[in-house]
Amino acid sequence: MSEKKGPSVFRKILNVLFNIFWAIFGGIGMALSCIGNGIMTILMIIPIFFGIPLVHFRMVGLAFAPAGKSVKLNFSKAPVRNVFYWIFGGFVSAIWNYIYGALLCLTIIGIPLGLQQFKFAKYFLAPFGARVLKNGQDLLPDNTKKAAPAPAAAAPAPAPAPAPAPSKYDDLAKLKSLLDSGVITQEEFDAKKKEILNS
C-alpha cells in the first residue's frame, strides 16, 4: 500500500501566509478570547469538574492558525461530557460558527475564512474526544491509549542433559557379544570380566 503524501511545498507556503493574515485580522483576538473563556470557566469552579476549561485551552492553537489543520470528532469517547457541554453553550457556539461561516462563504471572497469557521463549529459539536490534526499528524495525542507491552524475550533453550556414563553391565554385555561372535577367547573374556568387576 502506497504511503499517503503530505501537502506540497506550495500548499504549505499558502497555509503559512493565510495563517499570518488570519492572525493579524482576528486570529490573535480569537486565541486570546479562548484563553479568557478558559480562565473564566476555571473561576466558576463547577465547570472544572466537567473539563470545560480544557475545551477552550485546546482551541487556542486552532483559533490562532487554523489553515492546514483539521478536526476529527469522537463523540463516543465522552458522550456525557459532550452533552453537558451542548446544554451549557456548546451547541449555540457550534450553530453560531456554522452561520457565520455560511455568511462568509456567500461573499465568495470570504470562502477561505468561512471554511475555517466550519472547523471551529465542528470542534464545538463534540470537543471531548476531538482531535486536531495538522497535515495528518495528531497535535493533541490521545494519551488514554496504552502502549502495547513489549514482547517478552524468548527463554534460552535448556542445555542438553549429559549422556549417562556406561555402567559395568553395559561393558559386560558388549564383552559377551564379542565372545559370542568369536572376536575374543574365553580366557580373554574371563580376564576382562574380572577387570571390569573389580574397577
Side-chain angles (χ1 to χ4, degrees):
M1 185 173 62
S2 60
E3 186 178 353
K4 186 178 180 181
K5 295 182 179 180
S8 64
V9 176
F10 178 71
R11 182 60 181 270
K12 289 181 179 179
I13 293 174
L14 285 181
N15 288 338
V16 170
L17 294 176
F18 182 90
N19 282 330
I20 293 173
F21 172 83
W22 178 274
I24 294 173
F25 293 97
I28 295 176
M30 290 184 66
L32 292 176
S33 175
C34 290
I35 295 174
N37 289 335
I39 294 173
M40 288 297 295
T41 53
I42 290 175
L43 296 177
M44 293 169 64
I45 309 298
I46 293 177
I48 296 176
F49 299 102
F50 295 91
I52 304 300
L54 183 62
V55 172
H56 299 288
F57 292 139
R58 285 166 58 103
M59 181 71 179
V60 173
L62 183 63
F64 180 73
K69 297 175 184 176
S70 60
V71 177
K72 185 175 182 180
L73 301 183
N74 185 9
F75 177 84
S76 61
K77 185 176 178 180
V80 175
R81 288 199 293 172
N82 280 321
V83 170
F84 179 86
Y85 187 73
W86 286 354
I87 296 172
F88 290 92
F91 186 74
V92 174
S93 297
I95 295 299
W96 164 247
N97 279 281
Y98 274 123
I99 293 174
Y100 186 48
L103 292 175
L104 287 172
C105 290
L106 289 177
T107 65
I108 308 300
I109 195 174
I111 289 177
L113 303 176
L115 295 178
Q116 310 313 312
Q117 294 295 146
F118 293 154
K119 294 178 185 179
F120 307 149
K122 184 178 181 181
Y123 176 81
F124 286 126
L125 281 176
F128 296 103
R131 295 164 57 201
V132 178
L133 308 176
K134 181 177 181 181
N135 301 329
Q137 300 295 321
D138 200 344
L139 295 181
L140 300 170
D142 186 0
N143 295 324
T144 60
K145 296 180 180 178
K146 296 183 179 179
S167 65
K168 294 180 180 181
Y169 299 105
D170 293 333
D171 293 339
L172 290 174
K174 292 177 183 178
L175 191 62
K176 183 67 169 63
S177 64
L178 293 176
L179 175 64
D180 293 340
S181 60
V183 176
I184 60 175
T185 63
Q186 183 65 44
E187 290 78 9
E188 291 174 330
F189 173 78
D190 293 337
K192 192 65 177 176
K193 176 182 177 182
K194 186 177 180 181
E195 179 184 339
I196 293 172
L197 292 176
N198 290 336
S199 60

mmCIF file of all heavy atoms in Angstrom, residues 111-140:
data_model
loop_
_atom_site.group_PDB
_atom_site.id
_atom_site.type_symbol
_atom_site.label_atom_id
_atom_site.label_comp_id
_atom_site.label_asym_id
_atom_site.label_seq_id
_atom_site.Cartn_x
_atom_site.Cartn_y
_atom_site.Cartn_z
ATOM 1 N N ILE A 111 -14.799 32.844 1.238
ATOM 2 C CA ILE A 111 -14.919 31.385 1.352
ATOM 3 C C ILE A 111 -13.783 30.777 2.184
ATOM 4 O O ILE A 111 -14.044 29.951 3.067
ATOM 5 C CB ILE A 111 -14.994 30.731 -0.046
ATOM 6 C CG1 ILE A 111 -16.345 31.054 -0.695
ATOM 7 C CG2 ILE A 111 -14.800 29.221 0.050
ATOM 8 C CD1 ILE A 111 -16.506 30.520 -2.103
ATOM 9 N N PRO A 112 -12.504 31.150 1.959
ATOM 10 C CA PRO A 112 -11.438 30.577 2.794
ATOM 11 C C PRO A 112 -11.635 30.851 4.293
ATOM 12 O O PRO A 112 -11.330 30.010 5.131
ATOM 13 C CB PRO A 112 -10.171 31.267 2.276
ATOM 14 C CG PRO A 112 -10.500 31.668 0.881
ATOM 15 C CD PRO A 112 -11.946 32.033 0.918
ATOM 16 N N LEU A 113 -12.184 32.050 4.609
ATOM 17 C CA LEU A 113 -12.440 32.380 6.016
ATOM 18 C C LEU A 113 -13.613 31.569 6.564
ATOM 19 O O LEU A 113 -13.577 31.093 7.695
ATOM 20 C CB LEU A 113 -12.727 33.878 6.146
ATOM 21 C CG LEU A 113 -11.641 34.834 5.633
ATOM 22 C CD1 LEU A 113 -12.120 36.275 5.738
ATOM 23 C CD2 LEU A 113 -10.354 34.653 6.424
ATOM 24 N N GLY A 114 -14.622 31.412 5.730
ATOM 25 C CA GLY A 114 -15.784 30.640 6.157
ATOM 26 C C GLY A 114 -15.445 29.189 6.438
ATOM 27 O O GLY A 114 -15.972 28.582 7.386
ATOM 28 N N LEU A 115 -14.548 28.620 5.641
ATOM 29 C CA LEU A 115 -14.153 27.221 5.848
ATOM 30 C C LEU A 115 -13.467 27.042 7.201
ATOM 31 O O LEU A 115 -13.603 25.987 7.838
ATOM 32 C CB LEU A 115 -13.230 26.765 4.718
ATOM 33 C CG LEU A 115 -13.873 26.718 3.324
ATOM 34 C CD1 LEU A 115 -12.841 26.288 2.275
ATOM 35 C CD2 LEU A 115 -15.061 25.757 3.313
ATOM 36 N N GLN A 116 -12.747 28.050 7.638
ATOM 37 C CA GLN A 116 -12.101 27.963 8.959
ATOM 38 C C GLN A 116 -13.155 27.996 10.066
ATOM 39 O O GLN A 116 -13.025 27.291 11.069
ATOM 40 C CB GLN A 116 -11.099 29.110 9.156
ATOM 41 C CG GLN A 116 -10.099 29.297 8.017
ATOM 42 C CD GLN A 116 -9.459 28.006 7.557
ATOM 43 O OE1 GLN A 116 -8.979 27.205 8.350
ATOM 44 N NE2 GLN A 116 -9.428 27.823 6.243
ATOM 45 N N GLN A 117 -14.197 28.798 9.880
ATOM 46 C CA GLN A 117 -15.268 28.848 10.870
ATOM 47 C C GLN A 117 -15.958 27.488 10.993
ATOM 48 O O GLN A 117 -16.374 27.087 12.088
ATOM 49 C CB GLN A 117 -16.298 29.919 10.487
ATOM 50 C CG GLN A 117 -15.783 31.343 10.524
ATOM 51 C CD GLN A 117 -15.391 31.807 11.914
ATOM 52 O OE1 GLN A 117 -14.469 32.563 12.099
ATOM 53 N NE2 GLN A 117 -16.121 31.337 12.922
ATOM 54 N N PHE A 118 -16.063 26.767 9.880
ATOM 55 C CA PHE A 118 -16.675 25.439 9.930
ATOM 56 C C PHE A 118 -15.844 24.486 10.791
ATOM 57 O O PHE A 118 -16.390 23.597 11.446
ATOM 58 C CB PHE A 118 -16.835 24.884 8.522
ATOM 59 C CG PHE A 118 -17.838 25.627 7.673
ATOM 60 C CD1 PHE A 118 -17.734 25.629 6.294
ATOM 61 C CD2 PHE A 118 -18.884 26.334 8.259
ATOM 62 C CE1 PHE A 118 -18.655 26.311 5.511
ATOM 63 C CE2 PHE A 118 -19.804 27.026 7.491
ATOM 64 C CZ PHE A 118 -19.689 27.011 6.115
ATOM 65 N N LYS A 119 -14.519 24.668 10.780
ATOM 66 C CA LYS A 119 -13.664 23.841 11.638
ATOM 67 C C LYS A 119 -13.973 24.101 13.111
ATOM 68 O O LYS A 119 -14.052 23.169 13.913
ATOM 69 C CB LYS A 119 -12.192 24.138 11.361
ATOM 70 C CG LYS A 119 -11.700 23.734 9.987
ATOM 71 C CD LYS A 119 -10.239 24.124 9.801
ATOM 72 C CE LYS A 119 -9.780 23.845 8.384
ATOM 73 N NZ LYS A 119 -8.355 24.247 8.167
ATOM 74 N N PHE A 120 -14.137 25.381 13.456
ATOM 75 C CA PHE A 120 -14.447 25.730 14.843
ATOM 76 C C PHE A 120 -15.804 25.140 15.242
ATOM 77 O O PHE A 120 -15.969 24.614 16.352
ATOM 78 C CB PHE A 120 -14.462 27.251 15.037
ATOM 79 C CG PHE A 120 -13.220 27.938 14.569
ATOM 80 C CD1 PHE A 120 -13.261 29.233 14.069
ATOM 81 C CD2 PHE A 120 -11.986 27.295 14.607
ATOM 82 C CE1 PHE A 120 -12.108 29.876 13.638
ATOM 83 C CE2 PHE A 120 -10.831 27.937 14.182
ATOM 84 C CZ PHE A 120 -10.892 29.227 13.686
ATOM 85 N N ALA A 121 -16.769 25.259 14.331
ATOM 86 C CA ALA A 121 -18.108 24.740 14.618
ATOM 87 C C ALA A 121 -18.059 23.231 14.846
ATOM 88 O O ALA A 121 -18.700 22.707 15.766
ATOM 89 C CB ALA A 121 -19.049 25.069 13.455
ATOM 90 N N LYS A 122 -17.305 22.544 14.025
ATOM 91 C CA LYS A 122 -17.183 21.090 14.172
ATOM 92 C C LYS A 122 -16.557 20.736 15.513
ATOM 93 O O LYS A 122 -16.987 19.794 16.186
ATOM 94 C CB LYS A 122 -16.352 20.531 13.018
ATOM 95 C CG LYS A 122 -16.244 19.017 13.015
ATOM 96 C CD LYS A 122 -15.456 18.545 11.808
ATOM 97 C CE LYS A 122 -15.358 17.023 11.791
ATOM 98 N NZ LYS A 122 -14.570 16.540 10.618
ATOM 99 N N TYR A 123 -15.556 21.496 15.905
ATOM 100 C CA TYR A 123 -14.896 21.245 17.185
ATOM 101 C C TYR A 123 -15.870 21.406 18.351
ATOM 102 O O TYR A 123 -15.894 20.593 19.281
ATOM 103 C CB TYR A 123 -13.710 22.194 17.348
ATOM 104 C CG TYR A 123 -13.011 22.095 18.685
ATOM 105 C CD1 TYR A 123 -12.083 21.094 18.940
ATOM 106 C CD2 TYR A 123 -13.286 23.015 19.696
ATOM 107 C CE1 TYR A 123 -11.447 21.001 20.171
ATOM 108 C CE2 TYR A 123 -12.657 22.937 20.924
ATOM 109 C CZ TYR A 123 -11.736 21.931 21.152
ATOM 110 O OH TYR A 123 -11.113 21.845 22.376
ATOM 111 N N PHE A 124 -16.710 22.457 18.303
ATOM 112 C CA PHE A 124 -17.642 22.719 19.391
ATOM 113 C C PHE A 124 -18.781 21.707 19.457
ATOM 114 O O PHE A 124 -19.462 21.608 20.477
ATOM 115 C CB PHE A 124 -18.226 24.133 19.266
ATOM 116 C CG PHE A 124 -17.260 25.210 19.650
ATOM 117 C CD1 PHE A 124 -16.967 26.259 18.778
ATOM 118 C CD2 PHE A 124 -16.620 25.191 20.876
ATOM 119 C CE1 PHE A 124 -16.066 27.252 19.133
ATOM 120 C CE2 PHE A 124 -15.720 26.184 21.243
ATOM 121 C CZ PHE A 124 -15.439 27.210 20.363
ATOM 122 N N LEU A 125 -18.986 20.929 18.382
ATOM 123 C CA LEU A 125 -20.036 19.913 18.407
ATOM 124 C C LEU A 125 -19.713 18.802 19.406
ATOM 125 O O LEU A 125 -20.606 18.278 20.070
ATOM 126 C CB LEU A 125 -20.222 19.310 17.004
ATOM 127 C CG LEU A 125 -21.022 20.138 16.006
ATOM 128 C CD1 LEU A 125 -21.037 19.445 14.662
ATOM 129 C CD2 LEU A 125 -22.444 20.369 16.514
ATOM 130 N N ALA A 126 -18.444 18.404 19.482
ATOM 131 C CA ALA A 126 -18.040 17.335 20.406
ATOM 132 C C ALA A 126 -16.574 17.526 20.770
ATOM 133 O O ALA A 126 -15.703 16.780 20.304
ATOM 134 C CB ALA A 126 -18.272 15.965 19.767
ATOM 135 N N PRO A 127 -16.271 18.530 21.594
ATOM 136 C CA PRO A 127 -14.874 18.832 21.887
ATOM 137 C C PRO A 127 -14.161 17.757 22.694
ATOM 138 O O PRO A 127 -12.956 17.601 22.597
ATOM 139 C CB PRO A 127 -14.957 20.151 22.668
ATOM 140 C CG PRO A 127 -16.318 20.136 23.283
ATOM 141 C CD PRO A 127 -17.192 19.440 22.291
ATOM 142 N N PHE A 128 -14.928 17.009 23.508
ATOM 143 C CA PHE A 128 -14.305 15.956 24.306
ATOM 144 C C PHE A 128 -14.122 14.709 23.437
ATOM 145 O O PHE A 128 -15.080 14.102 22.983
ATOM 146 C CB PHE A 128 -15.154 15.635 25.534
ATOM 147 C CG PHE A 128 -15.268 16.790 26.488
ATOM 148 C CD1 PHE A 128 -16.424 17.550 26.545
ATOM 149 C CD2 PHE A 128 -14.205 17.120 27.312
ATOM 150 C CE1 PHE A 128 -16.521 18.616 27.413
ATOM 151 C CE2 PHE A 128 -14.297 18.184 28.193
ATOM 152 C CZ PHE A 128 -15.458 18.938 28.246
ATOM 153 N N GLY A 129 -12.892 14.376 23.201
ATOM 154 C CA GLY A 129 -12.573 13.278 22.287
ATOM 155 C C GLY A 129 -12.170 13.766 20.913
ATOM 156 O O GLY A 129 -11.716 12.973 20.087
ATOM 157 N N ALA A 130 -12.338 15.093 20.646
ATOM 158 C CA ALA A 130 -11.944 15.642 19.348
ATOM 159 C C ALA A 130 -10.428 15.678 19.223
ATOM 160 O O ALA A 130 -9.715 15.844 20.211
ATOM 161 C CB ALA A 130 -12.521 17.048 19.177
ATOM 162 N N ARG A 131 -9.946 15.508 18.006
ATOM 163 C CA ARG A 131 -8.509 15.552 17.731
ATOM 164 C C ARG A 131 -8.241 16.605 16.672
ATOM 165 O O ARG A 131 -8.936 16.678 15.663
ATOM 166 C CB ARG A 131 -8.008 14.189 17.244
ATOM 167 C CG ARG A 131 -8.118 13.086 18.280
ATOM 168 C CD ARG A 131 -7.979 11.723 17.654
ATOM 169 N NE ARG A 131 -6.722 11.602 16.940
ATOM 170 C CZ ARG A 131 -6.496 10.703 15.987
ATOM 171 N NH1 ARG A 131 -7.452 9.876 15.616
ATOM 172 N NH2 ARG A 131 -5.323 10.636 15.402
ATOM 173 N N VAL A 132 -7.236 17.431 16.913
ATOM 174 C CA VAL A 132 -6.821 18.445 15.945
ATOM 175 C C VAL A 132 -5.628 17.890 15.175
ATOM 176 O O VAL A 132 -4.604 17.548 15.762
ATOM 177 C CB VAL A 132 -6.449 19.767 16.648
ATOM 178 C CG1 VAL A 132 -5.976 20.784 15.617
ATOM 179 C CG2 VAL A 132 -7.642 20.308 17.425
ATOM 180 N N LEU A 133 -5.774 17.794 13.867
ATOM 181 C CA LEU A 133 -4.736 17.231 13.013
ATOM 182 C C LEU A 133 -4.095 18.325 12.170
ATOM 183 O O LEU A 133 -4.780 19.208 11.667
ATOM 184 C CB LEU A 133 -5.315 16.156 12.091
ATOM 185 C CG LEU A 133 -6.126 15.032 12.752
ATOM 186 C CD1 LEU A 133 -6.700 14.110 11.695
ATOM 187 C CD2 LEU A 133 -5.266 14.255 13.725
ATOM 188 N N LYS A 134 -2.776 18.244 12.023
ATOM 189 C CA LYS A 134 -2.052 19.147 11.138
ATOM 190 C C LYS A 134 -1.275 18.302 10.149
ATOM 191 O O LYS A 134 -0.384 17.548 10.522
ATOM 192 C CB LYS A 134 -1.091 20.052 11.922
ATOM 193 C CG LYS A 134 -0.338 21.022 11.017
ATOM 194 C CD LYS A 134 0.565 21.955 11.814
ATOM 195 C CE LYS A 134 1.296 22.926 10.900
ATOM 196 N NZ LYS A 134 2.188 23.825 11.671
ATOM 197 N N ASN A 135 -1.642 18.411 8.876
ATOM 198 C CA ASN A 135 -1.034 17.600 7.824
ATOM 199 C C ASN A 135 -1.118 16.118 8.168
ATOM 200 O O ASN A 135 -0.193 15.339 7.923
ATOM 201 C CB ASN A 135 0.434 17.993 7.605
ATOM 202 C CG ASN A 135 0.583 19.447 7.226
ATOM 203 O OD1 ASN A 135 -0.302 20.029 6.589
ATOM 204 N ND2 ASN A 135 1.696 20.064 7.611
ATOM 205 N N GLY A 136 -2.237 15.707 8.789
ATOM 206 C CA GLY A 136 -2.455 14.310 9.130
ATOM 207 C C GLY A 136 -1.839 13.869 10.442
ATOM 208 O O GLY A 136 -2.061 12.749 10.882
ATOM 209 N N GLN A 137 -1.056 14.760 11.096
ATOM 210 C CA GLN A 137 -0.413 14.420 12.363
ATOM 211 C C GLN A 137 -1.248 14.949 13.527
ATOM 212 O O GLN A 137 -1.730 16.077 13.480
ATOM 213 C CB GLN A 137 0.999 15.012 12.437
ATOM 214 C CG GLN A 137 1.924 14.517 11.338
ATOM 215 C CD GLN A 137 2.198 13.033 11.436
ATOM 216 O OE1 GLN A 137 2.353 12.484 12.521
ATOM 217 N NE2 GLN A 137 2.251 12.365 10.293
ATOM 218 N N ASP A 138 -1.381 14.132 14.577
ATOM 219 C CA ASP A 138 -2.200 14.493 15.728
ATOM 220 C C ASP A 138 -1.470 15.514 16.594
ATOM 221 O O ASP A 138 -0.406 15.236 17.137
ATOM 222 C CB ASP A 138 -2.500 13.231 16.544
ATOM 223 C CG ASP A 138 -3.704 13.422 17.449
ATOM 224 O OD1 ASP A 138 -4.083 14.586 17.659
ATOM 225 O OD2 ASP A 138 -4.250 12.424 17.928
ATOM 226 N N LEU A 139 -2.039 16.730 16.710
ATOM 227 C CA LEU A 139 -1.443 17.755 17.562
ATOM 228 C C LEU A 139 -1.801 17.549 19.028
ATOM 229 O O LEU A 139 -1.101 18.012 19.926
ATOM 230 C CB LEU A 139 -1.923 19.144 17.121
ATOM 231 C CG LEU A 139 -1.481 19.595 15.729
ATOM 232 C CD1 LEU A 139 -2.014 20.989 15.455
ATOM 233 C CD2 LEU A 139 0.030 19.577 15.606
ATOM 234 N N LEU A 140 -2.921 16.867 19.287
ATOM 235 C CA LEU A 140 -3.359 16.607 20.656
ATOM 236 C C LEU A 140 -3.520 15.105 20.804
ATOM 237 O O LEU A 140 -4.623 14.571 20.712
ATOM 238 C CB LEU A 140 -4.699 17.313 20.930
ATOM 239 C CG LEU A 140 -4.667 18.830 20.773
ATOM 240 C CD1 LEU A 140 -6.080 19.388 20.818
ATOM 241 C CD2 LEU A 140 -3.826 19.458 21.868
#
